[in-house]
Amino acid sequence: ENKHEEKVQDPNREENETKAEMGSKSWADLAGEMKMFLWNPEERTCLGRTAKSWGLILLFYFVFYTCLAGMFAFCMYMMLLTLSPYTPTYRDRVSPPGVMIRPYLNGFTIAFNVSQPSTWQPYVDNMHHFLAAYDDKVQEEKNIKCISGRYFIQGGNESEEKKACQFKRSVLQKCSGIEDPTFGYSKGQPCILLEMNRIIGYRPGAGVPVSVDCKVQKGNESDLRSVDFYPGNGTFDLMYYPYYGKFTHVNYTSPLVAMHFTDVRRNYLVPIQCSLNGKGIINDLNSDRFLGRIIFTLNIGK
């Protein structure tokens, strides 16, 4: 009865005794057990395994991962055999090109004050840097003269280097940076270059040159009163197509259309949309603002 009373009085006694027994081992005992686990001289085991056991398991994993790496390398090799470095095997389902503008600095808003050169000089520098590859001498040295108005189709093996047609910056006339090194920015009449994205094998316009037009996207149409295009007809000549890829068309320079905004409303944000027009061109897809068109904003201050 007394023992029963003791258990009732101290229900945690047995639990405390068990913990005391488990914690009775000293640090030296625990270190000895760990040392024995790491190396048992009697059974000659390391981490509980003999040398033979370790050898067998390491041999298994070596063979396993060697076979796995071999299978991966073989699959990659077979896949690469199906790919061509010159022409993509699979292409986007949307073949019409997108467009891009220059200068392009930090976005699609071109804002500057005519009386403050520091505001428009970065745009001018960006234009000169971009057009360096279009210098007349560079084009004459690297590329050839082509027949205007028709595709420049080149046969032969796809790995053969293709010739590229000359596109001299001088054809951009007032937007070439030759006559006016500031591209009109110092006068509040900025030039903006439009470039069609490169697509291997693509022939835009189905035999008719693709043209460019610009208009006010939203707002009063009188905010954009005059735009001049260079070359004079504002089209992408067919002789620069098709494009054969960077590995074979090494000296290729994309054709440009320069848009000279000579009369834009001052001190006002003017949203402008410039679009490609031609057979097979898509320029009204709401989900893609760069497909066949581009939207940017001009803000020209005094």
Side-chain angles (χ1 to χ4, degrees):
E1 292 179 359
N2 293 335
K3 291 180 179 180
H4 179 69
E5 290 178 358
E6 290 178 359
K7 291 182 179 179
V8 172
Q9 292 175 1
D10 191 4
N12 296 325
R13 181 178 179 180
E14 292 183 0
E15 182 179 350
N16 294 335
E17 291 176 352
T18 303
K19 290 182 178 179
E21 291 176 358
M22 293 178 63
S24 62
K25 294 182 179 180
S26 65
W27 285 105
D29 294 335
L30 293 174
E33 290 180 1
M34 180 59 70
K35 183 178 179 181
M36 187 65 68
F37 175 70
L38 293 175
W39 172 247
N40 188 331
E42 294 180 359
E43 299 179 2
R44 302 187 66 80
T45 60
C46 177
L47 300 178
R49 292 183 178 273
T50 63
K52 181 180 180 181
S53 178
W54 277 114
L56 290 174
I57 195 169
L58 291 176
L59 178 63
F60 168 78
Y61 279 110
F62 174 77
V63 174
F64 174 74
Y65 284 113
T66 299
C67 293
L68 195 64
M71 291 177 61
F72 176 77
F74 177 75
C75 291
M76 289 295 296
Y77 174 73
M78 295 303 295
M79 184 189 71
L80 292 174
L81 288 179
T82 66
L83 302 178
S84 170
Y86 308 105
T87 305
T89 304
Y90 301 102
R91 308 186 189 187
D92 293 337
R93 288 179 291 177
V94 180
S95 58
V99 291
M100 189 59 183
I101 59 169
R102 296 289 188 281
Y104 177 77
L105 296 180
N106 299 315
F108 293 97
T109 297
I110 298 177
F112 62 93
N113 294 322
V114 176
S115 59
Q116 298 177 346
S118 61
T119 62
W120 48 259
Q121 190 61 47
Y123 298 111
V124 173
D125 293 340
N126 185 269
M127 291 279 279
H128 278 295
H129 177 74
F130 177 73
L131 288 174
Y134 292 85
D135 286 342
D136 289 15
K137 290 184 178 180
V138 174
Q139 290 292 314
E140 290 172 358
E141 291 175 0
K142 294 184 176 181
N143 298 331
I144 64 172
K145 292 183 178 180
C146 299
I147 300 176
S148 178
R150 69 182 188 184
Y151 296 122
F152 184 31
I153 300 174
Q154 304 178 60
N157 191 288
E158 65 176 359
S159 62
E160 293 180 6
E161 184 174 322
K162 309 299 181 183
K163 297 178 181 179
C165 297
Q166 295 178 4
F167 189 97
K168 300 179 180 179
R169 65 187 297 176
S170 59
V171 303
L172 300 177
Q173 299 177 35
K174 294 182 180 180
C175 289
S176 65
I178 299 173
E179 299 177 9
D180 179 6
T182 69
F183 298 95
Y185 285 81
S186 62
K187 304 175 183 177
Q189 299 177 341
C191 288
I192 297 177
L193 306 178
L194 191 70
E195 178 185 13
M196 192 185 304
N197 291 351
R198 299 177 182 182
I199 301 177
I200 296 177
Y202 182 61
R203 304 180 188 181
V208 179
V210 173
S211 62
V212 179
D213 67 28
C214 297
K215 61 182 180 181
V216 176
Q217 186 205 17
K218 291 181 181 180
N220 195 333
E221 294 183 1
S222 62
D223 292 343
L224 180 63
R225 290 179 284 270
S226 177
V227 184
D228 295 332
F229 295 93
Y230 305 105
N233 52 5
T235 61
F236 293 92
D237 200 301
L238 299 179
M239 66 181 176
Y240 300 104
Y241 304 97
Y243 170 62
Y244 289 95
K246 64 179 182 180
F247 289 110
T248 54
H249 231 156
V250 291
N251 294 324
Y252 181 85
T253 46
S254 299
L256 307 170
V257 168
M259 304 168 295
H260 193 191
F261 295 90
T262 56
D263 194 356
V264 181
R265 182 178 176 181
R266 299 291 182 91
N267 298 311
Y268 192 78
L269 288 172
V270 182
I272 299 173
Q273 175 176 297
C274 293
S275 306
L276 303 179
N277 298 288
K279 189 173 182 180
I281 298 294
I282 298 175
N283 57 19
D284 57 357
L285 194 63
N286 293 329
S287 60
D288 192 343
R289 58 179 291 183
F290 299 103
L291 183 63
R293 62 173 177 170
I294 194 164
I295 300 170
F296 56 93
T297 302
L298 284 179
N299 186 5
I300 304 173
K302 295 181 180 179

